[in-house]
Amino acid sequence: MKLTTQDIISFKGLTNEDVEKIFSEADKFEKIAKGEKPSELLKGKILGTLFFEPSTRTKLSFKSAIQRLGGSTIGFSRPEVSSVAKGETLADTIRTVEKYCDAIVLRHPQMGSAKLAAEVSKIPILNAGDGAGHHPTQTLLDLYSIRKNFGSIRDLQIGLLGDLKYGRTVHSLAYAASRFENKLYVISPEGLEMPNEIVNDLKNKGREIIESYDLKEVLPKLDVLYVTRIQKERFSDASEYNKVKDSYKINLELLESAKSNMRVLHPLPRIDEIEPEVDSSKYAKYFDQVFNGVVVRMALLSLLM
Amino acid sequence: MKLTTQDIISFKGLTNEDVEKIFSEADKFEKIAKGEKPSELLKGKILGTLFFEPSTRTKLSFKSAIQRLGGSTIGFSRPEVSSVAKGETLADTIRTVEKYCDAIVLRHPQMGSAKLAAEVSKIPILNAGDGAGHHPTQTLLDLYSIRKNFGSIRDLQIGLLGDLKYGRTVHSLAYAASRFENKLYVISPEGLEMPNEIVNDLKNKGREIIESYDLKEVLPKLDVLYVTRIQKERFSDASEYNKVKDSYKINLELLESAKSNMRVLHPLPRIDEIEPEVDSSKYAKYFDQVFNGVVVRMALLSLLM
Amino acid sequence: MKLTTQDIISFKGLTNEDVEKIFSEADKFEKIAKGEKPSELLKGKILGTLFFEPSTRTKLSFKSAIQRLGGSTIGFSRPEVSSVAKGETLADTIRTVEKYCDAIVLRHPQMGSAKLAAEVSKIPILNAGDGAGHHPTQTLLDLYSIRKNFGSIRDLQIGLLGDLKYGRTVHSLAYAASRFENKLYVISPEGLEMPNEIVNDLKNKGREIIESYDLKEVLPKLDVLYVTRIQKERFSDASEYNKVKDSYKINLELLESAKSNMRVLHPLPRIDEIEPEVDSSKYAKYFDQVFNGVVVRMALLSLLM
């Protein structure tokens, strides 16, 4: 069982069959990911974790994934201490590090860096974020979390909430979720709407996407509400921010109007866009989503390494 | 064989039976801790090491402990690169990281943080220091070192030397050691005495504690001398410091008046409060104490994970 | 099969028989180093990696080596977060860390530090660079790379190119390579020549060493060209640098005059002293050299631990 690609650069680079394969594989790893039984599947294998900018959560998730499968990691999380500081090119860093390991997870501030790395590398490259570019393992875990809660990633009403203008995560998820016949609701304050080119591109592809400023109105229709943070810094003046912020906060009162099996997801970290009182409700699935990130990454590593 | 608690927050939270269990368990791990035989006891298990402030020694000791038992670690040692920097609460960090591992060692500058972490966590929390609060694995290894040298942790004459006012380590050890019918001598310069509330609290509990400024006088009575550093910065003027510092320095000449089986311990790092000439004497047990820290932590991990 | 030393402090401290033993051992680890089969040779063993100054490449190489053999690492790469920051001596750090592991790789800015560490340590010390002192595993991997390309480390014409005045790597390699009846050509710009005391010392030992400023003239004679970087900062004025830099750049046109089985090595990172067009030519062996560093270090660890 192989994927159609040896590198995971973007969600777009995966076929629907690839996605289904990854998810079926992920299902098998639940017990191992919980530490309930040890695995030797990737014994002796080494994953390189090259983080040219910090991303603790993603790094820990990948480390947990490979270690649960009996493998280990090498890497760095501070470019200033690596040869990069001496002026080495990314291509040379990759050609060097590939001699130490069997696959590389790359986080790099520059768009296109993961693709470049894959071009020079003989071992699989997994993109863990390349600037404003892609972060496909996040999209995969988001989608897998939907599948785990609904048994399917098709024919659902999915709301994307928050800063839809700058959020790479929601752009990728919009493309990914709509590929599987879901209906999208994109809900944001004025000025932070999902970019027109994305909305139009999706519509041209014949996908269902509805734009809204009104969470209260849309909420009762949703199966999934994917919440992201609205950063104060995005607004030109504070009064604009204060006007809108409370309309996009999730609390138990608001959730009364949701379907009983509606589920809330969030890429985390969460600041104050979801009230802590929601955490223990049936709606909250954002911490389980963290765990899903581990099994999805285990699936990718087991398929690629 | 289980402890009465799933978290190690303070020494106080352990019963005497817990302590005995941990020590008996630790005895079993000597060969494994020395790398003389491999263990698979915690194979597939992952320990999260969350160090919100640096503590290299404690971190390396915990890493050695889990790795000797066949497990591995994930974690960070710089909060500035974690989601914390984005404003995430400690509770959310714990709820996230617990999805990646099977137990968490937490070092955090804020008193009470370990207790808070244990309240939200589904997996065991081991407090590796919470500001001016507790550092129970240090106390356990100190006590275990005494046991290893005397075959018992009871009915000994134990001297605590140095800065007894600010030293969290000696406060915990005073409570812990006196719980096992030992007689305590607390020896410090003026101004750095063991706080009155601790001395009185111990006396009220019926424990034996004797205060002194004169190491030379007390030394011949002692079975154990636990040395800690006196920091120059604690004195209002340098002349005060210079007056006292030499009375609290351990050298071979001073040790001539000690019992032949007296043992010197120190939490390390040592600066100049023990002369290097002492290191190779029969009295010096502070580097063995480092090793004891590993087996004690192996015992804790094996009992909790 | 043992070495004549328990520590690897300098190449000079190894006999020719030691070197041959290390290389024979390294040959065995090729498949394991490529992740093609797992090994349990050092299962349960821990390597301490104490990097008092950054050296990502060396650290990753050692980590890969021990992990490929089933062992693991503990360590630090920033002295400021260790007990050293509190004023601990290197001797005390070593006596502490040796309780956590089975061998220590030490990188330290001070010349002689590795020797000092070996004097106090009960476990093997591997010097990974001590300031202007030695870096013996680099020399071993350089020599092993020559052996791998020519089946022998004897009777070859070896050119050392670049900054030969300040380069620790080329000084060590000059001594090491000439010990095995090779003929050395030392090629540098004026002002960056191999130091006279080294050249004279080698000549007095009866070894063949030829000095040159003219790469073009020497190149056709060489079996090996070992390239190092010429740093602009070494020149008093920029015009001096600009005058020479192009005469020491390796490109395909230049290589037309080389023997067909001539091989180019480089300790990396490479900046612009070798043109990227050379990378895919038969001459380029500098990335394979990185891999050789892993098997050589595996050999050392397996012989010492």
Side-chain angles (χ1 to χ4, degrees):
Chain A
M1 199 172 82
K2 283 266 173 197
L3 302 179
T4 60
T5 171
Q6 95 142 0
D7 304 292
I8 308 296
I9 304 308
S10 68
F11 187 86
K12 213 174 145 185
L14 297 167
T15 65
N16 286 8
E17 290 67 38
D18 286 335
V19 174
E20 294 291 358
K21 260 183 212 168
I22 294 163
F23 290 173
S24 307
E25 189 78 1
D27 289 341
K28 296 179 201 163
F29 291 129
E30 188 128 343
K31 268 174 181 250
I32 298 168
K34 283 183 176 151
E36 288 170 13
K37 63 174 188 180
S39 163
E40 297 202 335
L41 194 66
L42 296 182
K43 185 176 171 178
K45 299 283 186 186
I46 298 177
L47 177 66
T49 57
L50 304 195
F51 280 68
F52 287 83
E53 61 180 15
S55 177
T56 309
R57 195 174 304 268
T58 304
K59 187 171 184 178
L60 295 187
S61 181
F62 267 112
K63 278 177 76 87
S64 184
I66 182 94
Q67 291 171 204
R68 290 296 195 193
L69 293 171
S72 64
T73 67
I74 58 161
F76 55 77
S77 34
R78 297 180 306 153
E80 77 271 24
V81 304
S82 80
S83 293
V84 178
K86 299 181 189 160
E88 190 177 58
T89 63
L90 177 61
D92 272 17
T93 301
I94 295 294
R95 270 181 225 129
T96 299
V97 174
E98 73 176 356
K99 304 300 185 190
Y100 303 142
C101 56
D102 306 299
I104 291 173
V105 176
L106 180 70
R107 172 90 169 204
H108 196 283
Q110 220 173 310
M111 200 153 107
S113 51
K115 194 162 168 287
L116 171 75
E119 278 159 18
V120 302
S121 172
K122 291 185 192 80
I123 63 174
I125 299 290
L126 294 105
N127 185 4
D130 58 339
H134 301 276
H135 188 7
T137 63
Q138 177 71 46
T139 309
L140 281 166
L141 81 87
D142 290 341
L143 224 48
Y144 182 72
S145 296
I146 293 172
R147 178 175 174 275
K148 212 151 163 198
N149 280 289
F150 294 93
S152 158
I153 49 169
R154 289 171 198 276
D155 304 316
L156 297 165
Q157 320 278 314
I158 299 176
L160 304 179
L161 181 78
D163 173 358
L164 305 185
K165 184 172 180 189
Y166 298 100
R168 175 182 60 186
T169 300
V170 282
H171 299 172
S172 289
L173 187 55
Y175 275 100
S178 69
R179 228 168 83 179
F180 293 90
E181 294 98 50
N182 298 293
K183 184 166 179 178
L184 294 187
Y185 295 84
V186 290
I187 315 142
S188 73
E190 275 187 78
L192 295 178
E193 295 92 347
M194 177 74 70
N196 266 329
E197 63 264 36
I198 296 181
V199 173
N200 292 336
D201 190 24
L202 289 173
K203 284 184 175 166
N204 290 338
K205 287 186 158 93
R207 302 188 185 164
E208 285 190 279
I209 178 163
I210 289 158
E211 295 172 275
S212 166
Y213 297 115
D214 190 347
L215 173 60
K216 284 212 176 91
E217 193 210 41
V218 173
L219 185 60
K221 305 175 188 163
L222 299 179
D223 297 305
V224 174
L225 177 62
Y226 192 94
V227 182
T228 64
R229 202 184 161 205
I230 295 167
Q231 289 179 275
K232 204 172 176 171
E233 304 81 69
R234 300 297 190 197
F235 290 84
S236 47
D237 67 301
S239 67
E240 281 299 309
Y241 172 73
N242 288 326
K243 238 194 285 174
V244 304
K245 65 170 182 174
D246 287 336
S247 337
Y248 297 93
K249 263 193 190 163
I250 312 303
N251 55 34
L252 285 180
E253 196 196 328
L254 176 82
L255 290 171
E256 278 173 20
S257 69
K259 288 192 212 170
S260 130
N261 67 342
M262 196 277 291
R263 294 294 174 255
V264 178
L265 297 176
H266 189 298
L268 302 182
R270 165 259 312 255
I271 310 302
D272 57 6
E273 56 277 19
I274 303 176
E275 299 276 352
E277 64 180 22
V278 177
D279 298 357
S280 53
S281 77
K282 64 185 173 189
Y283 305 109
K285 289 294 171 187
Y286 29 93
F287 289 112
D288 290 344
Q289 199 179 346
V290 173
F291 175 78
N292 296 336
V294 180
V295 291
V296 163
R297 288 174 177 122
M298 288 168 83
L300 287 170
L301 296 175
S302 83
L303 289 164
L304 295 172
M305 286 175 86
Chain B
M1 200 172 80
K2 283 268 174 195
L3 301 178
T4 60
T5 170
Q6 97 141 357
D7 304 292
I8 308 295
I9 304 309
S10 68
F11 187 86
K12 213 175 145 184
L14 297 168
T15 65
N16 286 7
E17 290 67 40
D18 286 335
V19 174
E20 294 291 357
K21 259 183 214 169
I22 294 163
F23 290 175
S24 307
E25 190 77 1
D27 288 342
K28 296 179 201 162
F29 290 130
E30 189 126 342
K31 269 174 179 251
I32 299 168
K34 283 184 175 148
E36 289 170 13
K37 61 173 189 181
S39 163
E40 296 202 336
L41 194 67
L42 297 182
K43 187 177 172 178
K45 298 284 185 185
I46 298 177
L47 178 65
T49 56
L50 304 194
F51 280 67
F52 287 84
E53 60 180 17
S55 178
T56 310
R57 195 173 302 270
T58 304
K59 186 170 184 179
L60 295 188
S61 181
F62 267 112
K63 277 176 77 85
S64 184
I66 182 95
Q67 290 171 205
R68 290 296 194 193
L69 293 171
S72 64
T73 67
I74 59 162
F76 55 77
S77 34
R78 297 180 307 151
E80 77 271 24
V81 304
S82 79
S83 293
V84 177
K86 298 182 189 159
E88 189 178 57
T89 63
L90 176 61
D92 271 17
T93 302
I94 296 294
R95 269 181 226 130
T96 299
V97 174
E98 72 176 356
K99 304 300 185 190
Y100 302 141
C101 57
D102 307 298
I104 291 173
V105 176
L106 179 71
R107 172 90 167 204
H108 197 283
Q110 219 172 312
M111 197 154 107
S113 51
K115 194 164 167 287
L116 171 75
E119 278 161 17
V120 301
S121 172
K122 290 185 192 80
I123 64 174
I125 300 290
L126 293 105
N127 185 4
D130 58 338
H134 300 276
H135 189 6
T137 63
Q138 177 71 46
T139 309
L140 281 166
L141 80 86
D142 290 340
L143 224 50
Y144 182 72
S145 296
I146 293 172
R147 177 174 174 277
K148 211 150 163 199
N149 280 289
F150 295 92
S152 159
I153 50 169
R154 290 174 197 274
D155 304 315
L156 297 165
Q157 319 278 314
I158 299 176
L160 305 179
L161 181 78
D163 174 357
L164 306 185
K165 185 172 179 190
Y166 299 101
R168 174 180 62 185
T169 301
V170 281
H171 299 171
S172 289
L173 187 54
Y175 275 101
S178 69
R179 229 168 83 179
F180 292 90
E181 293 99 48
N182 297 294
K183 185 166 177 177
L184 294 186
Y185 295 84
V186 290
I187 314 144
S188 72
E190 276 187 77
L192 294 178
E193 296 92 348
M194 177 74 71
N196 266 328
E197 63 264 37
I198 296 182
V199 174
N200 292 336
D201 191 24
L202 288 173
K203 285 184 174 166
N204 289 339
K205 286 185 158 96
R207 301 187 186 165
E208 284 190 280
I209 180 163
I210 290 158
E211 296 172 273
S212 167
Y213 296 116
D214 191 346
L215 173 59
K216 285 212 175 88
E217 194 209 41
V218 173
L219 185 59
K221 304 175 189 166
L222 299 179
D223 298 304
V224 174
L225 177 61
Y226 192 95
V227 183
T228 64
R229 202 185 163 203
I230 295 168
Q231 289 178 277
K232 205 172 175 172
E233 303 80 69
R234 300 298 190 195
F235 291 83
S236 47
D237 67 302
S239 67
E240 281 299 308
Y241 171 73
N242 288 327
K243 237 193 286 174
V244 304
K245 65 171 182 174
D246 287 336
S247 337
Y248 298 92
K249 262 192 189 163
I250 312 302
N251 56 34
L252 286 180
E253 196 196 328
L254 176 83
L255 290 172
E256 279 173 19
S257 70
K259 287 192 212 171
S260 130
N261 67 341
M262 196 276 291
R263 296 295 174 254
V264 178
L265 298 176
H266 189 299
L268 303 180
R270 165 259 312 256
I271 309 303
D272 57 6
E273 56 277 20
I274 303 177
E275 299 277 351
E277 63 180 22
V278 177
D279 297 358
S280 53
S281 76
K282 64 186 173 188
Y283 305 110
K285 290 294 171 186
Y286 29 92
F287 288 112
D288 290 343
Q289 199 179 347
V290 173
F291 176 76
N292 296 336
V294 180
V295 290
V296 163
R297 287 173 178 123
M298 288 168 84
L300 286 170
L301 297 175
S302 83
L303 288 165
L304 295 172
M305 287 175 84
Chain C
M1 200 172 81
K2 283 268 172 194
L3 301 178
T4 61
T5 171
Q6 93 142 2
D7 304 293
I8 308 296
I9 304 307
S10 68
F11 188 85
K12 212 175 145 185
L14 297 167
T15 65
N16 286 8
E17 290 67 40
D18 286 335
V19 174
E20 293 292 357
K21 260 182 213 170
I22 293 163
F23 291 174
S24 307
E25 189 77 2
D27 288 342
K28 297 179 201 162
F29 291 129
E30 189 128 340
K31 270 173 179 250
I32 298 168
K34 282 183 178 151
E36 288 170 14
K37 63 173 187 180
S39 163
E40 296 202 336
L41 194 67
L42 296 182
K43 185 177 173 179
K45 299 283 185 187
I46 298 177
L47 178 65
T49 57
L50 304 195
F51 280 67
F52 286 84
E53 60 180 16
S55 178
T56 310
R57 195 173 303 269
T58 305
K59 187 171 183 177
L60 295 187
S61 181
F62 267 112
K63 279 177 75 88
S64 184
I66 182 97
Q67 290 170 205
R68 290 296 194 194
L69 293 171
S72 64
T73 68
I74 58 163
F76 55 77
S77 35
R78 297 180 306 152
E80 77 272 23
V81 303
S82 81
S83 293
V84 177
K86 298 181 190 161
E88 190 177 57
T89 63
L90 176 60
D92 272 17
T93 302
I94 296 294
R95 271 182 224 127
T96 299
V97 175
E98 72 176 356
K99 304 300 186 189
Y100 302 142
C101 56
D102 306 299
I104 291 173
V105 176
L106 180 69
R107 172 89 169 205
H108 196 282
Q110 219 172 312
M111 198 154 107
S113 51
K115 195 162 166 287
L116 171 75
E119 279 160 18
V120 302
S121 173
K122 291 186 192 78
I123 64 174
I125 300 290
L126 294 105
N127 185 3
D130 59 339
H134 302 275
H135 188 7
T137 63
Q138 177 70 48
T139 309
L140 281 165
L141 80 86
D142 290 341
L143 224 48
Y144 182 73
S145 296
I146 293 171
R147 178 175 174 275
K148 212 154 162 195
N149 281 288
F150 295 91
S152 158
I153 50 170
R154 290 173 197 274
D155 303 316
L156 297 165
Q157 319 278 314
I158 300 176
L160 306 179
L161 181 79
D163 174 359
L164 307 185
K165 184 171 180 190
Y166 299 100
R168 176 182 60 185
T169 300
V170 282
H171 299 171
S172 289
L173 187 55
Y175 275 101
S178 70
R179 229 168 82 179
F180 293 89
E181 294 99 49
N182 296 295
K183 186 167 177 177
L184 293 187
Y185 294 84
V186 291
I187 315 142
S188 72
E190 274 187 76
L192 294 179
E193 295 92 347
M194 177 75 69
N196 266 328
E197 63 263 37
I198 295 180
V199 174
N200 292 335
D201 190 23
L202 289 173
K203 285 184 175 166
N204 289 338
K205 286 185 158 95
R207 301 186 186 165
E208 284 191 280
I209 178 162
I210 289 159
E211 296 172 275
S212 166
Y213 297 117
D214 190 346
L215 173 60
K216 285 213 175 89
E217 193 209 40
V218 172
L219 185 60
K221 305 175 187 164
L222 299 179
D223 298 304
V224 174
L225 177 61
Y226 192 95
V227 183
T228 64
R229 202 185 162 204
I230 295 168
Q231 290 179 275
K232 204 174 177 172
E233 304 80 69
R234 300 296 189 196
F235 291 82
S236 47
D237 67 303
S239 67
E240 281 299 308
Y241 171 75
N242 288 327
K243 238 193 285 175
V244 304
K245 64 170 183 174
D246 287 336
S247 337
Y248 297 92
K249 263 192 190 164
I250 312 303
N251 56 36
L252 286 180
E253 195 196 329
L254 176 82
L255 290 171
E256 279 172 19
S257 69
K259 287 191 212 171
S260 130
N261 67 342
M262 197 277 291
R263 295 295 175 255
V264 178
L265 298 177
H266 190 298
L268 303 180
R270 166 258 313 256
I271 309 303
D272 58 6
E273 56 277 21
I274 303 176
E275 299 277 353
E277 64 181 21
V278 177
D279 298 357
S280 53
S281 76
K282 64 185 173 187
Y283 305 109
K285 289 293 171 187
Y286 29 92
F287 288 113
D288 290 344
Q289 199 179 347
V290 174
F291 175 77
N292 296 337
V294 180
V295 290
V296 163
R297 288 174 177 122
M298 289 167 84
L300 286 170
L301 296 175
S302 83
L303 288 165
L304 295 172
M305 287 175 84

